[in-house]
Every structure is written in C-alpha cells, then in structure tokens.
Amino acid sequence: MKMNFVVYINGHEHYVARSAIAALRGRILDAVRAGGAFVNVTELAHTDSVELITPATPVRIEAAPEPITAHDDAISTDTAYYDLERWDPPEWLGPLSD
C-alpha cells in the first residue's frame, strides 16, 4: 500500500513519500535538540525545500487522505487565489474612509 504524508511546518505544506518520512522526522528532532537548524524537506513533486526548525516551530505530520503522486494536479505550492468582491463600508464608516 502506497502511503504518502502531508507535513505541515510553520504553516507550509510538504508532500513527503513514505520512504522519506522516517529520515525527515529524525532531521526535525535533531534540529529541535540542537536548538535550531535548517532542514531539507524532500517533496514528491518539487525540488527540496529548506525549513528553519527550532524548538518553537510548529510541525505536524499526518497521512495523506489518499495516495499522492508526483504528477498529481492536487500538489501545489503555497500560493492561494481568492476571488474578492468589492466591499462597500457601512454609512457610519463613511467619514473615516475620506
């Protein structure tokens, strides 16, 4: 069974293969014990990323809900697109916007 993992480091998502997760966990723990270090994160579809890991860095590792491949369209960078509508302030805020 092919299982991949999503690793969240300081708000960034990384898609990591099952074969690489144990080594990544070890590098993260070593960086925490050292008080901080840059850690290479080998991702499925991208070149390696580098994250600064400190004892205060939030890290979460979870199994992906379904297998992810390097050619999967669901894999994306941390870019988000939003379609924002025009917002008109309420009348009582009118004098502040001039």
Side-chain angles (χ1 to χ4, degrees):
M1 178 174 151
K2 183 177 181 179
M3 170 101 36
N4 295 308
F5 293 86
V6 182
V7 180
Y8 301 91
I9 301 174
N10 205 23
H12 302 117
E13 290 182 2
H14 301 279
Y15 299 94
V16 179
R18 180 182 189 90
S19 59
I21 199 70
L24 177 59
R25 285 179 64 183
R27 290 193 304 270
I28 290 171
L29 289 173
D30 289 345
V32 169
R33 290 180 187 124
F38 284 98
V39 172
N40 263 357
V41 181
T42 303
E43 297 194 54
L44 290 171
H46 304 288
T47 57
D48 289 355
S49 298
V50 178
E51 291 277 359
L52 176 61
I53 304 294
T54 70
T57 302
V59 176
R60 187 174 85 228
I61 299 172
E62 63 184 41
E66 59 187 46
I68 302 168
T69 64
H71 303 291
D72 195 338
D73 289 337
I75 296 177
S76 64
T77 60
D78 289 329
T79 304
Y81 296 93
Y82 298 94
D83 185 15
L84 301 176
E85 296 179 16
R86 178 178 162 82
W87 178 75
D88 291 318
E91 288 182 26
W92 61 266
L93 192 56
L96 297 177
S97 62
D98 290 336

